[in-house]
Every structure is written in structure tokens, then in C-alpha cells.
Amino acid sequence: MSDYQVNNPATGEVEATYPTATEQDIQNAIEQANNAYQDWQKTSLGERSALLNKIADIYIERQDELARIVANEMGKPLAQAKGELQLVAQIYRYYADNGEQLLAPNTIDVADGSASVEKLPVGVLLGIMPWNYPHYQVARFVAPNVMAGNTIILKHAPQCPNTAEVIVDILKDAGLPSGVYNNVFATNDQAATIIEDTRVQGVSLTGSERAGQAVAKVAGGALKKVVLELGGSDAFIVAADADIEQAVQGAIVGRFGNTGQACNAAKRLIIVESVYDQFVKGFTDAVRGMTLADPQNEDTFIGPMSSKAAANNLQEQLDSAVKAGATVLVEGGIIKDKPGAWFAPAVLADVDDSMDVYRQELFGPVAVIYKANDIAHAIKIANDVPFGLGASIQTQDAALAAEIAEQLDVGMVTINAPSGSEANTPFGGVKRSGFGRELGTLGITEFLNYKLIRDKS
């Protein structure tokens, strides 16, 4: 049976199955992408820009339909799915509007003659993308690289084959030439085959730490450039002077948006002792007041997890933490009498570094609250994990916010709001959260040939 299925997480029903790619399908995709590159790299930046703007138009026009497909495939609440699609349109427009400037040659001041660095495409790229933001993750890889003149082979998550095919249709309807974007319902072994092919010049993966290790090993062996956006266990630090009501609201959105299934979710809430009790009361009251609901409803905030397997894994982590001595502030877990992948939000406290969960990523609706003696202690807790994706700071003191931000071992810091993503700001982390950047001015730089032209005549 194929791994590529629409398995509705709200009902547990398998609604569609898609055939896994054959070996010939894989070879065809590589050949088509490589052939298309020969022409695509020669197109004008203006032509590419117009095409990206057309893609953005289609995303806005079709957002209602696309959002319902996402909700059906992986359970994202409808309003949040529409928000994702609007961000996708912004990403395509950002690179359409700024690509020519970002790809302009750099002139170097030299003693004699002239020197410049051209920014040129490298060729065929493989993208391996996850299920949790099935349009956004693809867009932040495809938009800058198509603008740069590269061509794409895309392996989407097995949970989102319908979305994978819809993306193909959108790009085709926008006028993207055949072969510039190629969807493959590939296995992991087939993905390795693609990476190792000499016609493929690089690979970008967004996914788990384990997946990143596997892809990096293959890419390293094949001497291919790789960008990895992996897991996170982001800290949400609340200082003594923070607006607690605002902090609670931000923590709810930051932890439970997309049912807690985001790499940059606020997974660890680190609260300075003087405001700890006030924050905990407000936060736990808010969590108890949340209602799990049909993701197809416009007013739903939290729906099912993406799959039963994901829910079962999170339940094991929750049980392990409680068994090791964590305090349960809000009881939650798998709702056993309901079909699908429903998981009631849970809140834990008194997690310490003797517990496995202390350094694990909890990918779903479980929040862990830590009490910090002071800001220095909060920073120490925040940095004491193998991940370094993002962090959020809640304080009304701008100087303090800057001081904390400087000391956090992460790739992104957000002040007085939960972590998020914008088309014009770079996204990525350090440590075991991966390497490389997507979006913003840096997102178009990862897969380019920086060719020096030195004229001494």
C-alpha cells in the first residue's frame, strides 16, 4: 500500500490513496527538471517576476478551496489554513518584487581593472517538505529558487498528496513551463537516489531531526549543498515587567496555533518567579477554556493532530514526563472515545533536567511551564536544549529585551509577540535545529553560483 494517503485526522477515514512513484517516474522527473533548466536559466528576471506574481494571484483567488483541502488532509483549522495561504501569496510577491535587486551583481573595488560577482542559478534542486504547513513550506523553497533560475523536484509529505497535486496545478495555471517544477510521490530511498544523481545540485529539507540526519548523510556523501530546517523547542520568556494578559494571549497562540504542530511553537514557557503564579493562573484558565472542534469550521482554533501516529507519540512523551515526576497543571491527552487524532491540550510544570522530556521536542498541544529565579536563570533554561530555532521575549523594557536576545542561542528572536514568519525576514536556526536560511534577503542566496568576473585588462 502506498504511503501517500489522505487520512482525514478528524474522522480517521482514509479518503484517497495515491500511487508511489516508480523508478522510471523518478528518472523522468530528474530528466525533465534538468532539461527545463537549460531554458529556464536563460529567461529574464522580469519574466520570472511576472510568473511569481501570477502564482500569488491564484493563491488568493483559490484560498477558500485550498484551505479546506489542507484542513481535510492534516487537520489545520480553516482560518489558520487561510492565513497560511495568504502568507504564501506574500512570499511569491516578495521575491517577484525584490528578486531582480537581490540577484544583481556585486561590484568589488579592486586596484586595477574591475571585478564583480554574478549571482547565477546552479540547476536542479530537490525539496523535501513536511505536512504541517503544506503550502507555506513549499513556497519558501520554490519562490526564491524559481526566481533565481533553478528548477525543482519536490517530495511532499505522504499525508498531503492532494495538496501536492494542487500545487502542480497552480504553478501550471500560472504559466510555469513544463519541467521547472516536478512533484514526485517518492519513497525515502528514492529521495536518496535523487540527491545522488549528478544532475541534481542541492537539497533542502524541512522536517524532523532524524530526517535531517539521513538527508545530510546522503548529501554529504554526494558533495551536495544542503539546507536543513529541523526541530525546535522554543522558549517563551516572561520577564517581571511583562504585560501578563498580553503574555498569556501570546503563549496560547504561540503554543497551540496549528494544534501545537510547528517547529517554532512556544514549547517551553519560562516565567520569572515574581509573576509566575499570575501567569500560570491566566494561562491554565485559558487552556481549560479551549474547545477542540471541527477544523472545517471558520471559528475553530484547535482541531485534531495530523495523525494517530503523531498523537500516540506525543502521548508517550506526556506519560513519560508524568511518570518521571512532572506536575500536571491541565490534564490532556488522546481522546479515546473519538475517532481520528484528537488530543486534548495539556500543561506540565516541574520538569527538570533529569527527565527525557526536558530536552525533547513536544510536537503537539502540550505546554511545559518553567519557573525561573530571575532573567539570568531564564536564559540558562532557554539555552539548555539541543535545539536553537527561535525564542520569544515578553517585557516592556526595550533595553532588557535586547540584552536577553543577545544571549539566546537561537536563529530568531521575537519580542512581545509569539514567534511567526514573514516573507521579508529570514527563517532558520542553529545547533540541532539545522542550518541555512529561508525567506527574506537570505532565502534566495542558498542555491546560487557566486561567479567572480575579474577583468585585469
Side-chain angles (χ1 to χ4, degrees), residues 166-409:
V166 166
I167 292 172
V168 172
D169 292 340
I170 291 170
L171 301 182
K172 181 180 178 180
D173 290 347
L176 190 69
S178 175
V180 175
Y181 180 92
N182 305 269
N183 176 69
V184 290
F185 291 139
T187 66
N188 291 338
D189 287 343
Q190 289 172 331
T193 297
I194 296 171
I195 296 169
E196 291 169 340
D197 193 287
T198 56
R199 293 166 291 183
V200 175
Q201 304 304 315
V203 56
S204 179
L205 174 136
T206 298
S208 68
E209 185 180 355
R210 182 169 59 87
Q213 289 172 323
V215 166
K217 183 177 180 178
V218 176
L223 295 178
K224 302 293 175 68
K225 171 73 180 286
V226 60
V227 169
L228 299 177
E229 198 277 280
L230 308 179
S233 190
D234 286 15
F236 185 95
I237 297 172
V238 180
D241 72 324
D243 179 326
I244 299 302
E245 183 177 348
Q246 175 182 297
V248 166
Q249 292 173 350
I252 290 292
V253 173
R255 172 65 283 207
F256 298 111
N258 203 28
T259 315
Q261 300 166 120
C263 54
N264 63 332
K267 299 183 177 82
R268 296 177 300 136
L269 312 179
I270 305 172
I271 320 301
V272 169
E273 186 174 15
S274 60
V275 292
Y276 179 85
D277 290 342
Q278 182 183 357
F279 177 89
V280 168
K281 184 181 187 308
F283 183 76
T284 54
D285 284 350
V287 173
R288 292 189 189 97
M290 290 194 301
T291 301
L292 276 69
D294 185 348
Q296 295 286 356
N297 291 340
E298 289 278 359
D299 57 353
T300 294
F301 173 66
I302 185 167
M305 292 186 65
S306 65
S307 67
K308 289 182 179 179
N312 289 337
N313 183 66
L314 185 63
Q315 185 68 57
E316 289 176 5
Q317 291 177 296
L318 178 59
D319 293 343
S320 173
V322 174
K323 185 177 180 180
T327 299
V328 178
L329 299 182
V330 177
E331 290 188 16
I334 291 174
I335 301 175
K336 296 180 180 178
D337 61 352
K338 196 170 184 179
W342 297 90
F343 195 106
V347 181
L348 299 177
D350 300 318
V351 169
D352 61 46
D353 61 7
S354 70
M355 304 176 189
D356 291 340
V357 74
Y358 181 82
R359 292 184 176 86
Q360 292 176 339
E361 178 181 24
L362 296 173
F363 209 72
V366 176
V368 181
I369 301 182
Y370 295 85
K371 182 189 293 186
N373 300 330
D374 51 29
I375 286 296
H377 188 210
I379 294 169
K380 181 179 179 181
I381 295 170
N383 288 336
D384 194 22
V385 292
F387 301 103
L389 188 55
S392 179
I393 303 165
Q394 311 299 306
T395 176
Q396 300 179 72
D397 184 334
L400 177 61
E403 180 183 340
I404 297 170
E406 186 72 22
Q407 297 178 65
L408 293 172
D409 298 334

